[in-house]
């Protein structure tokens, strides 16, 4: 067993579950390491506490002298919990989190030292921004960037470091992170939804967008992962023949959680509790060694921060349990990939879920208003929604047999479809008393009963209504939730603003009653958004043809999809709501196009290296063994040796053919890569990598995977799918 593969497999034989300690009650430790409301009440003055709460609830600014008091309380709290350093924790456009640690330490003139952390250090820092993606907003030599405290997301202690969630902007004020546009989008949807909610309840003064994400992931033994250069460098397998047994029997889904994995989950959940991440659900997913966890719903900004923190936490805890966690959307071919379903809704400060039906016709009219406006928003901006979840990794997942297609549509179930069909029949203009009675008693009033018994689920829908929320299923598992959530909240905000203008015009101009005006506008929206509603199977040519007739986009690759991000329509949307300027929109487009190119470039280099330095030499080595066998048979049987060596000679020939095609494919792929690298235009370069370089991946992989079936298992160097997926 000379190969690294067998050493890695042998190492896994000795694995045992890593012991973990859990609290008796999770409620006792929840948020223990978070500077939350309880901690602030203990460590802040009354004025400081009220200032922070006003910033959270009303968006008011915190005065600098108050910030000094807050920083003092935050420092004392964190030092009491063992913190030695602090950092501004932010989310640059790399997709990862970023931090620079500074100690609570200052020297004094007399040679003494003190722990120091002032308001200025809390509110603003100046990290070097030169190496973060900026999309041409600024020159590399202009290194200054600013991080600014976001008080709506509480500070927390991770290890011995106080982490302060912040936004990240350039010297000239443009957003260089995911959080800044998200906060602006959330403010927009708050204002727009509050204005519409007041039609139904004058006491509503604030609407929060809520998010509950579901994080899917794979766990692979760390020794096995390290034996695969593609997993180590790209986070996925670039070659490897399917295991004879995969997920066909559905015996992993919701099955008993393996002991090592369960201890990893228990450890992770304990750390999540301390950090205030309200994880609740854990289970096996469909593919072997694939799992999922999900939290309780939270305000969207906090939920996004918690998901980013969780992913970082998972990597670190996985190492302690001798695992590597894979977030890639498609780490293994021919088994399910991983998504991050974003469950989204709107909730008022009065405790009402605006996408949940109520006990009265008026509450159900409120539900229909927000429900139909959301459908209309998705219909109007389906290309932008597709762009918001575009990535090199998600391209492998969208349209595969377990995931939504690249065509954006909304599933609402047969019962709600019938409700909308009834509403579509509403008479134009003022409703008669009979019509109002029929609507409210026979249609609107029955919605709670309908949804109570509505068990429709559609796994192939990218955007499905699931009872009291919309589930955006097409988001990829590696994604920062802020990207799709910024888009979703922005388009809904725009739609609600337009809706209110139309309703008010009917009330004032046509002298209609409020209910009549709302029903009239909703009726037109139902007609307008019919094309986005789809209740069938999202796979195959039939739906693609139907979607084309409806005028829906079908962008199967990231470069195609991303173009919607710089359309006049998108720029007008973001600029009109004050979420992003044209410069910021175009910069993000360039960053995402460049990231796509770099990921395909890296994967191409890795694949070429593995194929030429691992697969081909091993195939030749086995071929030489066969040649020696044939020569031995010839020495024994003379001219009759062909009767006994026919199969060996056919194997030698097949191996030679596969080697030649692999080598040819790599050479041609490199030539295309060289051509693409000469292209200066970021967009054209991305399309070149997509259309001219990437197709060689499957060609090279096909022949490598065929060799895996031909070459002696004892000398095959790469850990196989059966070992990666079924080692527990």
């Amino acid at each position: 067993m000379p190969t690294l593969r067998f050493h890695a497999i042998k190492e896994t034989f000795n694995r045992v579950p890593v012991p973990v300690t859990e609290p008796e009650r999770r409620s006792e430790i929840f948020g223990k390491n978070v500077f939350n409301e309880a901690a602030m009440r203990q460590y802040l003055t009354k004025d400081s506490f009220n200032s922070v709460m006003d910033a959270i609830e009303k968006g008011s600014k915190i005065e600098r002298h108050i910030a000094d008091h807050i920083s003092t309380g935050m420092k004392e709290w964190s030092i009491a919990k063992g913190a030695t350093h602090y950092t501004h924790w932010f989310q640059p456009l790399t997709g990862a989190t970023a931090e620079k640690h500074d100690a609570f330490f200052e020297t004094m003139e007399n040679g003494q030292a003190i722990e120091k952390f002032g308001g200025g250090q809390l509110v603003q820092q100046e990290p070097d921004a030169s190496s973060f993606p900026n999309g041409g907003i600024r020159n590399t030599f202009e290194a200054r960037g600013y991080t600014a405290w976001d008080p709506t997301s509480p500070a927390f202690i991770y290890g011995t470091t106080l982490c302060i969630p912040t936004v990240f902007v350039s010297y000239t004020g443009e957003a260089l992170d995911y959080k800044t546009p998200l906060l602006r989008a959330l403010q927009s949807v708050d204002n727009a939804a509050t204005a519409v909610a007041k039609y139904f309840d004058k006491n509503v003064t604030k609407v929060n967008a809520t998010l509950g994400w579901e994080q899917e992931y794979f766990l692979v033994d760390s020794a096995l992962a390290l034996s695969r250069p593609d997993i180590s460098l790209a986070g996925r397998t670039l070659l490897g023949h399917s295991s004879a047994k995969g997920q066909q029997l559905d015996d992993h889904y919701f099955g008993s959680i393996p002991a090592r994995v369960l201890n990893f989950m228990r450890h992770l959940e304990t750390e999540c509790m301390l950090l205030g991440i309200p994880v609740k659900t854990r289970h096996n997913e469909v593919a072997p060694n694939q799992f999922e966890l999900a939290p309780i719903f939270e305000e969207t900004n906090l939920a996004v921060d918690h998901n980013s923190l969780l992913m970082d936490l998972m990597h670190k805890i996985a190492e302690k349990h001798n695992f590597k966690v894979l977030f890639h959307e498609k780490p293994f071919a021919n088994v399910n990939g991983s998504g991050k379903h974003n469950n989204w809704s709107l909730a008022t400060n009065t405790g009402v879920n605006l996408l949940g039906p109520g006990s009265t016709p008026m509450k159900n009219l409120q539900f229909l208003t927000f429900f139909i406006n959301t459908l209309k928003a998705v219909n109007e901006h389906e290309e932008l929604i597709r762009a918001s979840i575009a990535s090199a990794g998600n391209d492998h997942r969208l349209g595969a047999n377990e995931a939504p297609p690249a065509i954006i549509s909304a599933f609402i179930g047969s019962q709600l479809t019938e409700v909308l069909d009834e509403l579509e029949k509403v008479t134009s203009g003022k409703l008669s008393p009979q019509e109002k009675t029929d609507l409210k008693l026979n249609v609107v009033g029955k919605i709670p009963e309908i949804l109570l018994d509505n068990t429709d689920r559609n796994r192939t829908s990218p955007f499905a209504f699931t009872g009291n929320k919309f589930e955006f299923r097409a988001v990829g598992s590696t994604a920062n939730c802020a990207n799709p959530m910024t888009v979703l909240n922005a388009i809904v905000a725009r739609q609600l603003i337009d809706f209110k203008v139309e309703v008010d015009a009917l009330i004032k101009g046509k002298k209609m009653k409020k209910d009549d005006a709302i029903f009239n506008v909703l009726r037109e929206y139902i007609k307008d958004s019919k094309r986005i509603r789809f209740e069938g199977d999202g796979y195959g040519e039939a739906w693609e043809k139907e979607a084309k007739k409806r005028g829906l986009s079908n962008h199967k690759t990231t470069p195609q999809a991303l173009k919607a991000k710089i359309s006049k329509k998108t720029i007008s949307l973001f600029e009109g709501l004050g979420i992003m300027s044209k410069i910021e929109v175009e910069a993000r487009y360039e960053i995402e196009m460049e990231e796509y190119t770099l990921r395909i470039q890296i994967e191409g280099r890795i694949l070429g290296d593995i194929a030429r330095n691992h697969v081909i030499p091993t195939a030749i080595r086995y071929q030489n063994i066969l040649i020696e066998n044939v020569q031995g048979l010839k020495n024994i049987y003379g001219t009759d040796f062909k009767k006994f060596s026919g199969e060996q000679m056919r194997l030698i020939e097949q191996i030679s053919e596969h080697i030649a095609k692999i080598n040819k494919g790599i050479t041609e792929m490199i030539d295309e890569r060289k051509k693409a690298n000469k292209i200066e235009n970021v967009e054209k370069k991305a399309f070149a990598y997509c259309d001219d370089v990437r197709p060689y991946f499957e060609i090279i992989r096909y022949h490598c995977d065929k060799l895996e079936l031909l070459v002696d298992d004892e000398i095959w160097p790469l850990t196989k799918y059966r070992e990666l997926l079924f080692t527990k």
Side-chain angles (χ1 to χ4, degrees):
M1 296 193 298
T3 66
L4 177 61
R5 169 189 164 209
F6 287 107
H7 287 299
I9 293 170
K10 185 177 180 181
E11 192 172 338
T12 65
F13 290 164
N14 300 319
R15 302 287 199 212
V16 294
V18 175
V20 295
T21 303
E22 288 184 292
E24 290 186 12
R25 291 175 180 264
R26 295 190 169 191
S27 58
E28 293 176 356
I29 65 166
F30 183 72
K32 189 177 179 181
N33 289 343
V34 180
F35 196 60
N36 52 24
E37 186 173 333
M40 287 192 290
R41 285 186 184 278
Q42 184 178 353
Y43 282 87
L44 297 185
T45 63
K46 185 177 180 180
D47 287 345
S48 299
F49 174 80
N50 289 337
S51 183
V52 175
M53 296 309 295
D54 284 346
I56 294 170
E57 295 169 4
K58 302 174 184 177
S60 57
K61 291 186 178 181
I62 296 174
E63 298 295 331
R64 184 56 66 96
H65 72 279
I66 294 290
D68 286 330
H69 293 298
I70 296 169
S71 64
T72 300
M74 196 180 286
K75 179 194 69 175
E76 293 304 318
W77 169 80
S78 56
I79 289 175
K81 289 188 167 292
T84 59
H85 289 69
Y86 64 91
T87 181
H88 274 200
W89 183 82
F90 58 103
Q91 299 168 49
L93 298 173
T94 57
T97 58
E99 53 197 64
K100 181 188 74 170
H101 298 191
D102 286 301
F104 293 121
F105 177 78
E106 291 277 343
T107 56
M108 300 173 69
E109 293 181 359
N110 59 5
Q112 300 295 309
I114 59 170
E115 275 76 29
K116 186 177 179 181
F117 179 58
Q121 294 160 313
L122 166 65
V123 172
Q124 183 175 301
Q125 295 279 297
E126 293 185 20
D128 184 342
S130 61
S131 296
F132 289 113
N134 61 76
I137 287 177
R138 38 180 305 290
N139 295 312
T140 303
F141 61 82
E142 295 171 334
R144 183 173 292 178
Y146 294 109
T147 51
W149 177 34
D150 170 20
T152 63
S153 184
F156 57 91
I157 295 172
Y158 187 37
T160 59
T161 304
L162 170 66
C163 299
I164 303 157
T166 59
V167 298
F168 180 43
V169 297
S170 71
Y171 176 70
T172 47
E174 289 88 3
L176 295 174
D177 66 345
Y178 286 109
K179 180 184 276 276
T180 304
L182 175 65
L183 290 173
R184 294 169 181 165
L186 294 174
Q187 183 64 53
S188 294
V189 82
D190 174 11
N191 294 337
T194 298
V196 173
K198 283 183 180 294
Y199 282 143
F200 309 97
D201 183 357
K202 297 294 184 184
N203 295 316
V204 174
T205 57
K206 186 174 178 59
V207 172
N208 282 322
T210 61
L211 169 64
W213 38 262
E214 302 168 31
Q215 181 68 61
E216 295 178 338
Y217 62 98
F218 282 82
L219 283 177
V220 175
D221 187 277
S222 55
L224 300 182
L226 285 170
S227 72
R228 294 279 310 219
D230 46 1
I231 291 179
S232 297
L233 298 176
R236 76 178 182 104
T237 55
L238 294 168
L239 48 81
H241 198 278
S242 297
S243 170
K245 179 181 183 297
Q247 63 189 50
Q248 307 97 312
L249 300 177
D250 295 324
D251 52 349
H252 185 68
Y253 190 50
F254 279 21
S256 177
I257 300 172
R260 283 181 62 200
V261 175
L262 185 58
N263 276 20
F264 159 77
M265 290 177 170
R266 290 167 61 203
H267 188 171
L268 174 65
E269 288 168 4
T270 298
E271 292 298 321
C272 285
M273 289 298 107
L274 291 168
L275 291 167
I277 306 173
V279 292
K280 185 175 177 67
T281 303
R282 65 189 185 200
H283 62 83
N284 290 1
E285 255 299 331
V286 174
N289 275 351
Q290 186 186 30
F291 308 94
E292 180 182 298
L293 82 160
I296 297 169
F297 278 60
E298 298 181 283
E299 186 275 323
T300 298
N301 180 43
L302 184 57
V304 168
D305 280 1
H306 278 166
N307 183 249
S308 296
L309 176 58
L310 173 101
M311 293 173 75
D312 185 49
L313 195 62
M314 288 176 73
H315 281 301
K316 292 175 181 177
I317 291 177
E319 288 178 9
K320 295 178 180 179
H321 290 259
N322 300 305
F323 284 124
K324 183 175 179 63
V325 60
L326 304 181
F327 289 118
H328 194 284
E329 285 78 9
K330 198 76 173 177
F332 302 101
N334 301 316
V335 297
N336 275 20
S338 296
K340 178 152 38 194
H341 304 165
N342 278 209
N343 295 280
W344 172 88
S345 191
L346 295 169
T348 69
N349 63 303
T350 58
V352 175
N353 177 2
L354 295 172
L355 287 174
S359 56
T360 66
M362 180 56 74
K363 289 181 180 178
N364 290 326
L365 180 56
Q366 176 178 266
F367 155 71
L368 285 169
T369 295
F370 286 91
F371 174 72
I372 294 168
N373 270 283
T374 301
L375 291 176
K376 179 74 158 53
V378 173
N379 180 71
E380 295 300 313
H381 299 277
E382 49 92 11
E383 282 193 278
L384 180 57
I385 288 179
R386 168 66 181 94
S388 76
I389 45 95
S391 70
N394 217 18
D395 282 355
H396 294 282
R397 173 177 165 263
L398 295 179
N401 63 353
E402 86 286 351
I407 303 165
I408 297 298
S409 66
F411 171 85
I412 64 172
S414 57
Q415 292 92 338
L416 275 175
T417 297
E418 291 176 10
V419 170
L420 297 194
D421 289 344
E422 288 295 320
L423 289 174
E424 191 179 340
K425 298 173 186 175
V426 172
T427 303
S428 178
K430 296 179 181 179
L431 278 65
S432 68
Q434 180 63 40
E435 282 181 308
K436 283 188 177 182
T437 301
D438 289 344
L439 270 174
K440 291 184 176 180
L441 292 181
N442 300 328
V443 181
V444 179
K446 292 183 178 179
I447 289 174
E449 298 170 20
I450 289 170
L451 293 185
L452 184 66
D453 297 325
N454 183 2
T455 56
D456 286 351
R457 293 283 298 211
N458 190 330
R459 286 176 55 81
T460 68
S461 175
F463 197 79
F465 185 71
T466 55
N468 61 358
K469 63 189 183 300
F470 278 99
E471 183 178 12
F472 192 2
R473 298 180 55 86
V475 181
S477 48
T478 58
N480 186 310
C481 298
N483 208 355
M485 284 297 102
T486 297
V487 168
L488 181 56
N489 285 288
I491 65 174
V492 171
R494 179 71 269 165
Q495 181 54 50
L496 290 172
I497 291 168
D498 293 343
F499 170 77
K500 190 171 188 304
V501 169
E502 291 186 54
V503 171
D504 287 350
L506 291 178
I507 293 172
K508 294 173 184 176
K510 301 288 185 179
K511 306 299 181 185
M512 281 190 191
K513 290 184 178 180
K514 181 181 66 179
D515 285 7
D516 291 351
I518 290 172
F519 275 125
N520 272 267
V521 176
L522 291 182
R523 181 198 61 207
E524 297 306 312
Y525 285 3
I526 291 168
K527 294 176 183 177
D528 293 343
S529 59
K530 264 189 169 181
R531 70 166 190 152
I532 204 69
R533 286 162 31 207
F534 178 62
E535 306 301 309
D537 190 338
Y539 302 125
E541 292 183 8
W543 169 227
E544 290 195 8
K545 289 179 180 177
E546 172 63 21
K548 189 175 182 180
K549 286 181 184 177
R550 296 185 183 193
L552 296 173
S553 65
N554 185 11
H555 301 312
K556 295 186 178 181
T557 67
T558 291
Q560 289 176 341
L562 286 178
K563 287 184 73 67
K565 283 202 167 185
I566 53 168
S567 68
K568 290 182 179 178
K569 186 176 181 181
T570 297
I571 292 170
S572 175
L573 168 75
F574 286 132
E575 286 195 321
L577 294 172
I579 293 171
M580 283 188 282
S581 66
K582 182 180 179 182
I583 292 173
E584 289 172 311
V585 171
E586 291 176 343
R588 282 156 200 273
Y589 172 74
E590 185 172 316
I591 288 167
E592 291 181 42
M593 278 291 200
E594 187 173 20
E595 182 187 351
Y596 176 85
T597 297
L598 292 173
R599 289 196 180 277
I600 302 300
Q601 183 184 76
I602 290 167
E603 288 187 352
R605 288 172 174 171
I606 296 167
L607 180 59
D609 170 54
I610 294 174
R612 277 190 169 157
N613 294 319
H614 297 255
V615 174
I616 290 178
T618 303
I620 291 172
R621 182 180 169 192
Y622 181 59
Q623 193 178 49
N624 288 336
I625 293 172
L626 294 172
I627 290 169
E628 289 177 16
N629 179 262
V630 171
Q631 288 174 337
L633 290 171
K634 185 176 182 181
N635 291 337
I636 295 172
Y637 296 106
T639 56
D640 291 336
F641 83 99
K642 290 184 180 179
K643 289 191 295 184
F644 306 101
S645 63
E647 288 304 316
Q648 293 92 317
M649 293 178 72
R650 270 190 287 275
L651 275 173
I652 291 168
E653 186 177 335
Q654 287 175 21
I655 290 170
S656 290
E657 287 175 357
H658 288 307
I659 288 173
K661 288 176 180 177
I662 290 169
N663 221 14
K664 180 174 181 289
I666 294 171
T667 299
E668 291 177 355
M669 177 183 69
I670 291 172
D671 288 342
E672 291 297 336
R673 213 163 62 218
K674 287 178 178 177
K675 290 179 188 176
N677 289 342
K678 293 178 181 177
I679 300 172
E680 293 186 5
N681 181 276
V682 173
E683 180 183 300
K684 290 179 180 177
K685 192 172 185 177
F687 273 99
Y689 264 92
C690 178
D691 299 335
D692 303 329
V693 176
R694 194 183 59 153
Y696 285 101
F697 287 16
E698 286 305 311
I699 296 170
I700 296 165
R701 176 175 192 152
Y702 173 82
H703 295 288
C704 288
D705 290 355
K706 288 296 182 183
L707 285 176
E708 183 181 327
L709 294 178
L710 297 176
V711 172
D712 182 0
D713 182 67
E714 284 289 312
I715 64 171
W716 188 254
L718 299 170
T719 304
K720 296 188 175 184
Y721 266 32
R722 66 169 183 261
E723 295 147 359
L724 291 166
L725 290 172
F726 290 96
T727 300
K728 304 300 182 184

